[in-house]
Amino acid sequence: MTKTEEPAAWTAATGADTEPVTVTSTATTTGTKLTQSVQPQAPGGTGNKPTPALGAPKAATGSAERSAAADSGGLGNDPTDPDRYCAVSRNDTNAQALQPTPNQVEWAVDMAVRGQLRSNWIRQGGYRSQAGLATVDPQGLFPPPTLNGGGQIPANLLLGVMAQESNLWQAEGSAIPGQMGNPLAAVDGYYGHKAVPGDPNSYWQIHWDKSDCGYGVGQVTDGMRLAGHEKTDANGNKEASLSPALQKLVAIDYASNIAAAMKILADKWNEVHTDGQKITVNNDDPSRVENWFTAVWNYNLGFNPPSETSQHNGYWGLGWYNNPANPLYKKSWGHPFMDTKVDGAEANRDAAHPQDWPYEEKVMGWAAWSIDTGFSYSTSGRQDWPGDNDFSSAGFRPAWWNTDTQRSAVSPPLDVFCNRDNNCDPATPPDCKNEACYQQYWWNKPNVTWKPDCASSCGHEAIKYMTLISEPGRGYRLQNGQPVCSGAPAGLLVTSIPNGTDTWGDCGKTTSAGAFQFTFNPSRDNTYQAKADLHQIGGGYGGHYWYAHTRDDAHLGGANGAMNIDGTWTLNQNLDWARVLVHLPDTGAQTRQAAYTVRNTDSKSDTRIVEQRANRWFSLGVFHFSGKPSVTLSNTTADGTADEDIAWESVVFQPLRGKPKNSVVAMGDSYASGEGASEGDRDYYPETNYYDKKNGKTRDACHRSTNAWSRKATLPGGPKSVGELEDSGYGDMDYHLIACSGARTYNVLSEVQEKGGEVPQIRQGYLDQNTTLVTISIGGNDSRFATIFQSCMVSLGSNCSEDKFDEKKLDPLVNGRDRKFSDQPFATAVPGIISDIVRPDIRAMLLQIQDRAPNAKIVLMGYPPLLSDKGSCLRYGLPGLPKIGISEGSAIWLNSIAKVLTIAMQGAADDANKAGAKMTFSDPTSDFAGKAACGDPEQIHGIVLKATKSDSTVDWIPGLRDYALSTQGLHPKIGGARLYANALERTVTGMGL
């Protein structure tokens, strides 16, 4: 689609300074610097805690344990908060807020400061109809304020307040602009959370009477409590609540919220511009950004008027807490907030520690340098993606100054508000520890000046939308988070919200063939703390899902944990045999250990572990039901530290004619997962090729490929390959690929794999009495092939079989059984490890697999020799110099070790059969004859230089530790996976599948 042109900036009148000024903005989400050319233009409270620029507090602390008290009134199943004090409940599907684009917020501010944010410019209906008003007229409902002394609020100043209060968000921060979500009501303020030193678990305890009730982009608190729970000031005066319709509108609609917030900000200006209590700045021209310093100070923490001096030991004015000279902010002295001209790249990190600046200095910083939202949108609402020509993630157009030096002085020196007028020594400002001390240094003097030439040296308003235009479009074409409205597998769909619920997006109203219900545990005080960790988002299949954070017992999860949440989908009819599929959204779902429990089935393994990063429909398997099927998902996971998200979205129950003929589980290591059988990243399931450079602990490099050999094979009598049948939902095929690159036998049985963070394969739940075939390749990593190959690669022409098996190569998870091989040459150590450790471990593993799948036949797939042509393509060097890489002698020895492992694997299969398993060993050696690495055609990769998304750096070649090689090296290519499939097809022929 064609990008809508932005309105042209208004040009100053002749004689004005029209030289453009270059401004550097800083990304709060990425730390990236943005450079903008700003054209100078002619001049034309809430009382809540500031919202940190990087979002809400980390949700990693816990709360009190579950109460034994029984739930009353259904609160334990209701995601909303009927017992709240704030006007609009979180997690209410009938009170969803649109997350506006930065353009929409800037447009609303630009219109509002001129009194033009009226109904004729607003898109009526849609999500705004939730308020029940026939017409939404923001500045008809919240009329434009009149400033004492005249003038109007500079747009960039109001945008700075919005940036500090909410990051320009109307919905909670996890909602992407264009999506619906919970109204942004800061969780700690909504629930009255408070930290108790030394007791981190206390954070989640609910104190409704302490609820702040700030909503939306302006964090509007005035009038936002329920009737009967209004705030009362120190004099016993009760605040008037807005009408329920206006309260909902303030919560869900960014435009109405901005109109209300602007009115509150104006009230704060007027409060410090009232005779007898004036606290003014510079030349007091409201069109200049700096002159709002005291009004913004007031906006955040309020004002102590002269009329209340008797309550404050004779003092009045603006509180010491937000005074720039307060030693709380000592780290920021001399470092203007977000000013890269003063602090260079270090200023990029200011938003990571916003507590080092007082509230009003942060607002001034945002007004001067803007905010990077991490997203780019055109006025039409079209999202631009990184790399697009029009991509620019600046949140808004900042104010302009004539020079960078003037911009850097947007906030005052310390002695401006710390001097003899309030008995404060700027050389040693008081470090107050109590309220009585604070009161002594309150500021209450007028005509404070740090820019005597403010008319020219103060910040000037820069309005982006000078021309009055209709509301910019809602965000669409989302790179991530775009709702999926079609394409569900055939079957009976059960959504996570009731049938007929409006999602207020592209997908319209939901259609659901069942019900969904949450279960929350009451805490000791009979409140439901876990609801604070629950969120709704307008994404995923059908345009709605829920998410929370994963938790183990130590983080208040578990069956009795106060932060545990269970969500259950129940179909409204009985089924016999059916496939169960879950849809996983592309945002709000990162856990690798989501445990779905399928109920009313005869499966001996009814809990299936899913990696939720899949962004697709994912099969839990085929089940035999008795009665109405249901599926339960808890946010409790074994690795839950409240850092990863888990999502409840949609489930499809797909009725089948009967039990599938083939139920296949593919287990094992990289050779089974399909490592290498991908064109770069293309063919890997993305959840198994995942790396977040901001959090390396979330890495998953299991590298399961759509070209894995178990998928390419065709079973006897099958019309197509296993993969084709599974992808098409074929009724006689139930297939699960759970192999993981790097796995050893203990990763199949008991140990979480470091490379993937996934639950041990045998515990993932896909083996049961209905499984007919298990395929597995395992033993190569147990034999230390990767370590040995790396050592051989850096040998300077020698035969690496003489290299020493040193202590660095010992495996701490084999209980010391390999220690006797320490300091032996590879030539004796490796065969010894294969004989004494690998063979018995494979046997024990096979028997446990058979125990979990008693009716299955098991195929243990071997490994071919990895090198053809004596490894000639893996020797590198210059003429006349020793070559580095695999020597001819090393290649011969490495291939001989592959034969040793093959013999041991055959022996392990025989051992398992003697113990009662139904085992067959498959040897692919002949299939790869002449086709291994360096062969023709080469069907096993040699060294692959282009790393995949999740490959780690090279730490085994000196000088290359900052670089990455692909783990695809020495693994079958796509054609090699086909050769493996040939071997499997030969093996299963005649097995009676």
Side-chain angles (χ1 to χ4, degrees), residues 679-681 943-949 951 964-969:
E679 290 292 338
D681 297 303
I943 297 297
V944 179
L945 297 177
K946 185 176 181 180
T948 64
K949 292 177 181 178
D951 281 326
L965 295 178
S966 175
T967 51
Q968 291 184 331

Side-chain angles (χ1 to χ4, degrees), residues 311-313 315-316 320 434-442:
Q311 302 173 31
H312 302 125
N313 299 313
Y315 298 103
W316 69 276
W320 173 251
N434 55 55
E435 184 179 358
C437 176
Y438 271 53
Q439 292 173 356
Q440 299 177 58
Y441 304 101
W442 286 356

Side-chain angles (χ1 to χ4, degrees), residues 414-593:
L414 291 188
D415 61 359
V416 172
F417 293 103
C418 175
N419 52 50
R420 63 185 180 182
D421 286 333
N422 63 341
N423 299 312
C424 178
D425 182 355
T428 57
D431 188 9
C432 288
K433 303 298 184 183
N434 55 55
E435 184 179 358
C437 176
Y438 271 53
Q439 292 173 356
Q440 299 177 58
Y441 304 101
W442 286 356
W443 184 263
N444 59 21
K445 301 302 179 185
N447 303 320
V448 180
T449 301
W450 73 92
K451 286 191 172 183
D453 55 348
C454 184
S456 61
S457 64
C458 285
H460 298 65
E461 180 182 61
I463 288 188
K464 178 177 181 178
Y465 293 97
M466 284 297 299
T467 302
L468 301 181
I469 64 170
S470 295
E471 181 180 10
R474 174 176 175 169
Y476 70 94
R477 189 201 175 231
L478 307 184
Q479 188 173 23
N480 297 296
Q482 183 70 36
V484 180
C485 303
S486 61
L492 302 166
L493 175 70
V494 180
T495 63
S496 60
I497 51 179
N499 182 52
T501 301
D502 205 326
T503 63
W504 307 109
D506 293 341
C507 300
K509 295 183 178 181
T510 57
T511 299
S512 182
F516 177 80
Q517 185 177 78
F518 280 117
T519 300
F520 306 93
N521 293 332
S523 59
R524 288 173 176 170
D525 60 0
N526 215 31
T527 60
Y528 294 88
Q529 299 171 9
K531 295 181 184 182
D533 197 28
L534 182 66
H535 311 266
Q536 63 175 329
I537 295 292
Y541 189 85
H544 187 280
Y545 67 89
W546 306 91
Y547 83 91
H549 293 90
T550 58
R551 297 175 179 277
D552 59 13
D553 289 349
H555 292 83
L556 283 289
N560 295 315
M563 297 303 290
N564 182 77
I565 303 173
D566 292 335
T568 300
W569 299 262
T570 302
L571 188 65
N572 58 12
Q573 66 184 71
N574 294 347
L575 290 180
D576 189 25
W577 284 94
R579 191 189 315 274
V580 180
L581 303 103
V582 295
H583 191 267
L584 308 170
D586 62 349
T587 59
Q590 294 106 34
T591 181
R592 290 159 285 184
Q593 299 188 9

Side-chain angles (χ1 to χ4, degrees), residues 248-331:
K248 181 174 278 192
L249 199 60
V250 167
I252 68 170
D253 177 32
Y254 73 94
S256 299
N257 189 284
I258 287 170
M262 191 179 84
K263 186 175 184 300
I264 296 170
L265 179 59
D267 289 343
K268 301 303 181 181
W269 167 277
N270 290 339
E271 197 165 27
V272 294
H273 284 77
T274 297
D275 290 340
Q277 58 184 45
K278 287 185 177 180
I279 308 179
T280 55
V281 174
N282 297 320
N283 68 1
D284 203 29
D285 179 354
S287 71
R288 297 297 186 259
V289 171
E290 289 89 334
N291 294 340
W292 283 81
F293 197 86
T294 56
V296 174
W297 189 340
N298 185 17
Y299 186 86
N300 177 234
L301 287 182
F303 181 64
N304 305 287
S307 60
E308 298 178 4
T309 54
S310 62
Q311 302 173 31
H312 302 125
N313 299 313
Y315 298 103
W316 69 276
L318 295 170
W320 173 251
Y321 182 85
N322 264 347
N323 193 305
N326 189 332
L328 284 173
Y329 312 116
K330 188 174 183 177
K331 292 180 181 179

Side-chain angles (χ1 to χ4, degrees), residues 154 156-161 163-164 265 269 281-282 288-297 336-339 357-370 396 398-399 401 407-412 450-451 459:
N156 316 100
L157 184 283
L158 184 54
L159 285 163
V161 172
Q164 177 56 30
L265 179 59
W269 167 277
V281 174
N282 297 320
R288 297 297 186 259
V289 171
E290 289 89 334
N291 294 340
W292 283 81
F293 197 86
T294 56
V296 174
W297 189 340
F337 185 64
M338 307 304 285
D339 187 351
W357 288 265
Y359 179 86
E360 63 273 21
E361 288 198 348
K362 287 178 283 195
V363 170
M364 296 293 143
W366 294 129
W369 287 278
S370 189
F396 52 83
W401 280 257
R407 185 186 300 272
S408 294
V410 65
S411 292
W450 73 92
K451 286 191 172 183

Side-chain angles (χ1 to χ4, degrees), residues 201-239:
N201 289 348
S202 68
Y203 173 77
W204 294 102
Q205 293 173 7
I206 295 173
H207 306 277
W208 290 123
D209 60 320
K210 306 297 183 184
S211 297
D212 185 56
C213 304
Y215 284 91
V217 66
Q219 285 296 279
V220 174
T221 62
D222 290 6
M224 292 303 293
R225 277 198 176 192
L226 287 169
H229 295 299
E230 298 90 345
K231 295 178 183 176
T232 303
D233 66 18
N235 297 317
N237 299 314
K238 184 177 291 188
E239 177 187 74

Side-chain angles (χ1 to χ4, degrees), residues 23 38 77 98 150 196 227 290 294 302 325 343 383 409 470 529 541 604 686 708 734 756 767 823 855 886 910 941 949:
V23 176
V38 179
N77 302 120
L98 172 69
V196 176
E290 289 89 334
T294 56
D343 289 332
Q383 188 184 76
S470 295
Q529 299 171 9
Y541 189 85
K604 302 301 183 183
D734 184 21
L767 299 171
D823 291 328
N855 299 316
I886 303 295
D910 293 342
H941 291 284
K949 292 177 181 178

